[in-house]
């Protein structure tokens, strides 16, 4: 399964753009901070995740600093790339 959820803050936003077919696309970066347990040790994890919203969800009024629960999947930036991008398909307050 390639389904993920995380709670985080929008820390960077690009300008909304449109595909050649007119579909809105918004790229942004999410900062997620959490406490995790690994091999019996507790640690604080801070990650910045490149993300994208495509379609009607991209028309929401997102602002830097907004915090949400993000749901979606990971895919490569392009067919030739190895860089992963989080494709957000649902956002909850």
């Amino acid at each position: 399964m390639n389904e993920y959820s995380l709670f985080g803050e929008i820390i960077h936003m690009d300008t909304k753009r449109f595909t050649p077919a007119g579909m809105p696309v918004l790229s942004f970066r999410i900062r997620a901070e959490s406490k995790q347990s690994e091999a019996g040790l507790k640690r604080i994890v801070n990650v910045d995740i490149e993300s994208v919203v495509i379609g009607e969800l991209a028309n929401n009024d997102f602002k830097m600093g907004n915090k949400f629960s993000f749901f979606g999947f990971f895919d490569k930036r392009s067919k030739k790339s190895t860089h992963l991008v989080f494709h957000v398909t649902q956002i909850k307050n």
Side-chain angles (χ1 to χ4, degrees):
M1 297 285 292
N2 183 2
E3 296 177 352
Y4 298 91
S5 64
L6 60 97
F7 180 80
E9 175 183 359
I10 297 174
I11 60 167
H12 173 81
M13 290 182 60
D14 290 341
T15 302
K16 183 168 46 173
R17 58 187 171 84
F18 295 87
T19 67
M23 183 97 48
V25 178
L26 180 62
S27 296
F28 55 99
R29 193 171 319 123
I30 300 168
R31 175 162 293 146
E33 299 178 0
S34 63
K35 294 178 183 176
Q36 301 296 326
S37 211
E38 181 178 38
L41 301 172
K42 294 187 185 222
R43 60 189 286 188
I44 296 176
V45 178
N46 295 299
V47 294
D48 293 352
I49 301 167
E50 294 296 325
S51 307
V52 65
V53 175
I54 300 172
E56 286 302 313
L57 196 54
N59 289 327
N60 286 354
D61 189 26
F62 300 115
K63 292 182 175 63
M64 294 221 326
N66 286 159
K67 293 182 180 182
F68 298 104
S69 292
F70 298 91
F71 303 86
F73 62 92
F74 282 93
D75 195 8
K76 296 184 290 186
R77 181 177 296 281
S78 67
K79 292 187 189 285
K80 295 180 180 182
S81 174
T82 58
H83 184 86
L84 291 179
V85 175
F86 185 48
H87 287 253
V88 176
T89 58
Q90 186 178 11
I91 299 172
K92 293 184 179 178
N93 288 333

